[in-house]
Amino acid sequence: MPGSIQIAAPSNVMPNALCTAFSESRDYVELRAQYHDGTAERSQLAQTSRKTFKLAQRLTAARTAALKAFWDNQQGGVVPFLFYNLAEGTYDATGNSTQGRYTVVFRGNWSQTTGLFRTDVPQIELIEVA
């Protein structure tokens, strides 16, 4: 049916070792119009904020390989999955616990820089979809 929106159906749970590498931030989506006289007009597009989770750590080779395998399994942001924010709840590998659980997708392209003992993947973040 045209115009209908499907609810995101998560297919997997991000491993616990990878959940600890992300930190939370919030986005309030709004529309802005800047006029030639310097005045601005803003309107809110959503009633609540959207959570995003950015990679906050440099990763070891093993964790980089695990994240890349998980990213490939989720088709680089096409397939939604469950992510546990460990600051809000405990990890549940089955995905049954709702405390701290978010349905997310990857946003950003895979790009990595490897230094001495650690790897940076600066463009990867998770964005809440449901």
Side-chain angles (χ1 to χ4, degrees):
M1 174 197 253
S4 65
I5 298 176
Q6 303 260 336
I7 295 176
S11 67
N12 210 345
V13 178
M14 180 177 262
N16 186 30
L18 297 176
C19 287
T20 60
F22 288 86
S23 64
E24 176 186 344
S25 63
R26 291 181 180 250
D27 289 335
Y28 289 92
V29 183
E30 66 181 11
L31 215 52
R32 292 184 200 179
Q34 184 82 25
Y35 298 104
H36 68 281
D37 65 351
T39 61
E41 184 178 350
R42 297 178 184 167
S43 62
Q44 189 175 350
L45 292 178
Q47 296 298 323
T48 59
S49 65
R50 176 183 276 182
K51 291 187 180 188
T52 59
F53 301 91
K54 296 185 181 198
L55 199 56
Q57 298 177 359
R58 298 179 71 204
L59 303 174
T60 62
R63 288 178 82 187
T64 302
L67 181 60
K68 177 67 168 127
F70 190 77
W71 188 80
D72 287 340
N73 189 34
Q74 302 311 118
Q75 300 174 9
V78 175
V79 180
F81 59 93
L82 295 176
F83 170 79
Y84 279 94
N85 185 0
L86 301 178
E88 296 178 16
T90 58
Y91 181 79
D92 180 15
T94 63
N96 292 332
S97 175
T98 58
Q99 185 107 14
R101 181 184 77 185
Y102 295 95
T103 301
V104 297
V105 294
F106 283 111
R107 181 166 60 181
N109 295 322
W110 186 270
S111 171
Q112 71 182 50
T113 306
T114 303
L116 194 60
F117 304 117
R118 299 278 189 242
T119 300
D120 289 321
V121 187
Q123 297 178 356
I124 295 295
E125 64 182 355
L126 310 175
I127 184 164
E128 182 181 16
V129 293

